[in-house]
Amino acid sequence: MAELATIARPYAEALFKTAGADMVGAAAWLDELAAIASNVQLQQYAGNPGVTSKQTFDVVCGVVKTKLPVAAENFLRAVIDNGRLGALPEIASQFRALKNAKSGSSDAVVYSAFSLDAAALTDLATTLEKRFGKKLNLKVELLPELIGGVRVVVGDEVLDTSVKARLEQMKAALIS
């Protein structure tokens, strides 16, 4: 949605400039706020004309697992006061893109049928970083329907070595 990206860009850029050395900390609390803001019931609550900005702020802060730093509270107040709570997930996405561009890394999602232990994840990270030629920030998500193996998504590139993908390739070969 181009309009949402346009709305989110100034917030992400302003946060990026003010985060300075605490880029990792800012990304952590911003991701948590984005996850909370993506809740449909919260968006409906915030969109209710009878609900004040302070009430919405209090609800969001009540859901946050850890105490927010002052900068995070101020940022959240600005977003809520301007009616942009629904844009928080896109703000977080654009902030991560700016952070990754500065550090020369990329986000990668590893879909696996089974949970990966630390040693396997380290080996996988090393292999994937050689394959993609850059530092990767791995996030693992379980997807049991893969049967085995992994599917890795880095930006718009997908590397699928799952058993499910291999079975589908075999099926297509047998049918044709």
Side-chain angles (χ1 to χ4, degrees):
M1 177 182 250
E3 184 178 320
L4 190 58
T6 304
I7 291 169
R9 186 174 304 111
Y11 291 95
E13 289 174 351
L15 182 59
F16 180 76
K17 288 177 185 173
T18 59
D22 190 29
M23 206 67 73
V24 174
W29 60 254
L30 184 59
D31 285 341
E32 185 175 5
L33 290 177
I36 293 167
S38 64
N39 182 295
V40 175
Q41 292 172 327
L42 177 63
Q43 289 179 12
Q44 289 173 345
Y45 176 78
N48 184 335
V51 175
T52 65
S53 296
K54 180 172 179 359
Q55 290 171 321
T56 303
F57 177 81
D58 291 341
V59 168
V60 173
C61 286
V63 177
V64 174
K65 294 177 184 167
T66 58
K67 174 91 171 92
L68 290 174
V70 175
E73 289 181 356
N74 291 339
F75 181 78
L76 181 60
R77 276 193 188 95
V79 168
I80 292 172
D81 289 345
N82 292 319
R84 303 298 190 206
L85 186 65
L88 257 176
E90 180 64 23
I91 294 169
S93 174
Q94 290 191 20
F95 179 81
R96 265 191 317 279
L98 291 168
K99 180 175 127 330
N100 288 343
K102 181 179 181 182
S103 67
S105 64
S106 290
D107 289 333
V109 181
V110 176
Y111 298 98
S112 174
F114 305 101
S115 60
L116 301 171
D117 63 359
L121 192 57
T122 303
D123 290 343
L124 181 62
T126 303
T127 304
L128 291 173
E129 286 174 358
K130 286 179 186 174
R131 162 73 169 77
F132 289 101
K134 54 185 143 188
K135 173 86 173 95
L136 297 176
N137 306 318
L138 296 182
K139 176 183 170 190
V140 178
E141 292 187 20
L142 294 180
L143 203 58
E145 59 264 18
L146 293 179
I147 303 170
V150 294
R151 177 184 302 148
V152 181
V153 179
V154 179
D156 60 353
E157 292 184 66
V158 178
L159 176 64
D160 195 345
T161 62
S162 67
V163 173
K164 180 181 179 184
R166 291 181 188 160
L167 289 172
E168 288 174 1
Q169 289 170 351
M170 289 170 46
K171 178 182 174 183
L174 289 172
I175 290 174
S176 59

